[in-house]
Amino acid sequence: MRLPSLARSPDLAVDLGTANTVVVRRGEGVVLFEPSVVAMDEQTGRVYAVGDEARRMLGRTPATITASRPLRHGVITDFETTEQMLRQFIRRASGGRVRSRVIVCVPSGLTQVERNAVSEATLTAGAREVHLIEEPLAAAIGAGLPVAEAIGSFVVDVGGGTTELAVTALGGMVVSSSLQVGGYDFDDAIVRRVQQLHKLLVGQEQAEQVKIDVGSALTAAAPERETEIAGRDLATGMLRRIVLEPAEVTRALERPVAQIVEGVKDLLEQTPAELSADVADRGLMLVGGGSLLRGLDDVLRTETGLTVTRDSEPLTTVARGAGSALEELGQPRRRRSPQRR
């Protein structure tokens, strides 16, 4: 029996995020970008939909179908559902060909048990080999920072469930930190604000749209327009629609933004003096979907005194970095940080 050649088995890099899953195929770039959402038929246990189709079902499914996000803060909370989702995504990205080698991006703060869960879920989903790479390292590679050189580079990856921070040099992370705050915390903050001040219960999807429309980390960066949001009146139980001012949304986002700023300052304090000089000269690279929040770069620039640059394609930076690791390393190795908070 003739074994299939390795050329027929495309190597894949997977950024398995709380909000979105991005897959890069070796030599081709991004081939899949889908929300990390799965809709399951509870009667049969089968996958009803994944990705965009499943996201449209959030909060709208009949009793027999459940749509959910199987990851929280970058950690697998539902192993079986994650495996089913990965199976679908890997099958699409590999074109239905033989089992692939896969490199998966993971938060730097995961425990060994959580890392093993990611590896096992990926193998069960159909991968032939699995290698892990920390998200901040992949982000630095994807952003074009000189990771392999003896130069300190500071990268901040604001994802959906976590914010990953690291100073890299000589091919690894010298210091790193993983904060359990991200884009979904921005949405939750808006939900709480509307509930507390307006006694209106709104969904996270609506809050996310408000964030996209008028959300800002800085009042000066907010757009000069209002937005509407609808929900259930907590007093009457009836539906009600209200108008939100940009300044009110900015106030709602103050706490999660402050947590990110504090995390950046803490990591700067831990950075060795030699690398601190490099960071002072080169500044900070901002990536991830959460980095698209208006004014976040300005707030970080003001609070740290550093030059802040946002990657041109922040939503795919981590996946592209992992894809580059596939290209350059052939068989990617797991890299560990010498120091971690």
Side-chain angles (χ1 to χ4, degrees):
M1 178 179 177
R2 186 176 180 179
L3 295 176
S5 66
L6 185 61
R8 295 177 55 203
S9 177
D11 291 345
L12 303 176
V14 179
D15 177 14
L16 183 62
T18 305
N20 300 296
T21 295
V22 186
V23 182
V24 168
R25 189 156 58 210
R26 184 173 186 174
E28 298 182 41
V30 176
V31 294
L32 183 144
F33 188 112
E34 297 271 0
S36 301
V37 184
V38 183
M40 300 283 290
D41 188 324
E42 293 189 345
Q43 292 182 333
T44 64
R46 294 182 178 179
V47 174
Y48 188 83
V50 298
D52 282 320
E53 186 180 356
R55 179 178 178 174
R56 290 193 292 269
M57 298 179 182
L58 284 171
R60 298 179 174 90
T61 57
T64 58
I65 298 176
T66 302
S68 63
R69 298 182 183 274
L71 291 98
R72 182 68 177 171
H73 295 303
V75 177
I76 293 176
T77 56
D78 187 329
F79 181 87
E80 183 177 349
T81 302
T82 301
E83 179 267 314
Q84 295 271 25
M85 180 181 72
L86 273 172
R87 182 182 299 277
Q88 296 282 339
F89 289 157
I90 289 174
R91 184 176 300 164
R92 292 183 195 175
S94 64
R97 287 174 282 180
V98 294
R99 288 156 57 114
S100 304
R101 294 189 303 179
V102 180
I103 180 170
V104 183
C105 307
V106 295
S108 61
L110 288 193
T111 66
Q112 189 58 49
V113 172
E114 291 164 343
R115 289 170 180 266
N116 292 342
V118 173
S119 296
E120 186 177 347
T122 309
L123 286 170
T124 306
R128 177 166 55 88
E129 294 178 20
V130 180
H131 304 271
L132 304 183
I133 182 172
E134 282 90 348
E135 287 177 7
L137 185 59
I141 296 171
L145 300 179
V147 175
E149 300 177 21
I151 299 174
S153 299
F154 196 167
V155 62
V156 177
D157 173 19
V158 186
T162 64
T163 293
E164 303 291 320
L165 311 95
V167 174
T168 65
L170 293 173
M173 298 187 301
V174 181
V175 289
S176 67
S177 177
S178 183
L179 309 176
Q180 289 196 347
V181 57
Y184 284 137
D185 296 277
F186 296 158
D187 303 338
D188 289 341
I190 294 172
V191 170
R192 287 194 299 270
R193 179 85 178 184
V194 171
Q195 184 172 338
Q196 291 169 359
L197 293 187
H198 301 280
K199 307 304 179 186
L200 192 70
L201 184 63
V202 299
Q204 192 177 52
E205 296 287 310
Q206 290 178 291
E208 182 183 21
Q209 191 57 52
V210 167
K211 175 185 68 179
I212 294 171
D213 289 344
V214 300
S216 174
L218 196 65
T219 302
E224 295 182 0
R225 63 174 182 271
E226 301 171 337
T227 190
E228 289 188 343
I229 190 169
R232 179 166 57 85
D233 191 302
L234 294 175
T236 66
M238 302 298 289
L239 297 180
R240 182 160 59 92
R241 184 179 295 273
I242 62 171
V243 174
L244 290 177
E245 297 281 348
E248 183 176 350
V249 179
T250 299
R251 285 193 293 273
L253 298 174
E254 285 178 352
R255 182 175 179 183
V257 168
Q259 289 177 284
I260 293 173
V261 170
E262 191 62 31
V264 170
K265 290 180 176 179
D266 286 347
L267 200 67
L268 285 172
E269 291 178 359
Q270 299 176 56
T271 303
E274 295 81 359
L275 297 181
S276 293
D278 293 336
V279 172
D281 290 339
R282 299 174 55 82
L284 178 156
M285 176 61 72
L286 196 57
V287 308
S291 72
L292 294 172
L293 179 68
R294 298 175 186 87
L296 182 58
D297 54 344
D298 293 325
V299 170
L300 288 171
R301 189 177 297 113
T302 300
E303 293 290 333
T304 65
L306 296 174
T307 300
V308 178
T309 305
R310 183 189 291 112
D311 187 56
S312 59
E313 299 179 28
L315 288 166
T316 61
T317 309
V318 173
R320 287 185 285 110
S324 295
L326 282 174
E327 294 285 353
E328 296 174 9
L329 304 179
Q331 182 171 318
R333 297 174 300 167
R334 178 185 300 177
R335 297 170 182 253
R336 291 182 178 274
S337 167
Q339 296 183 34
R340 182 174 296 131
R341 284 184 64 200

